[in-house]
Amino acid sequence: QIMSEIKIKIEGMSCMHCVGRVKQALGALAGVSEANVEVGSASLKFDEAKLSRQDIEAAIKKAGYKVAAS
């Protein structure tokens, strides 16, 4: 299994509550092995066989935040 690591900039986060929502959204995705979330960004390790960057960005948007262009 090949794990990929990415860092995504996230707009609209302002507090630890936001961090919790994003962490919960990412943790619910099959294939995410590790998610480190802080205000403004998330870095995570995931299995590309199970998940794509688009899936991850969709989960962030569904949680109510905007993915910043990197």
Side-chain angles (χ1 to χ4, degrees), residues 2 4-5 7-8 11-12 16 18 29 32 34-36 38 45-46 48-49 51-53 56-57 59-60 63 67:
I2 298 169
S4 292
E5 202 167 329
K7 184 162 181 142
I8 298 175
E11 295 175 357
M16 292 311 290
C18 300
L29 296 172
V32 171
E34 187 182 317
N36 296 306
E38 55 193 45
K45 289 182 182 169
F46 67 101
E48 278 195 72
L51 204 58
S52 71
R53 183 183 174 108
I56 294 164
E57 291 184 1
I60 292 168
V67 174

Side-chain angles (χ1 to χ4, degrees), residues 23-65:
K23 195 169 177 79
Q24 184 176 16
L26 296 175
L29 296 172
V32 171
S33 69
E34 187 182 317
N36 296 306
V37 182
E38 55 193 45
V39 173
S41 71
S43 55
L44 58 152
K45 289 182 182 169
F46 67 101
D47 182 348
E48 278 195 72
K50 297 180 181 171
L51 204 58
S52 71
R53 183 183 174 108
Q54 287 76 20
D55 296 327
I56 294 164
E57 291 184 1
I60 292 168
K61 289 173 187 165
K62 193 174 174 185
Y65 303 97

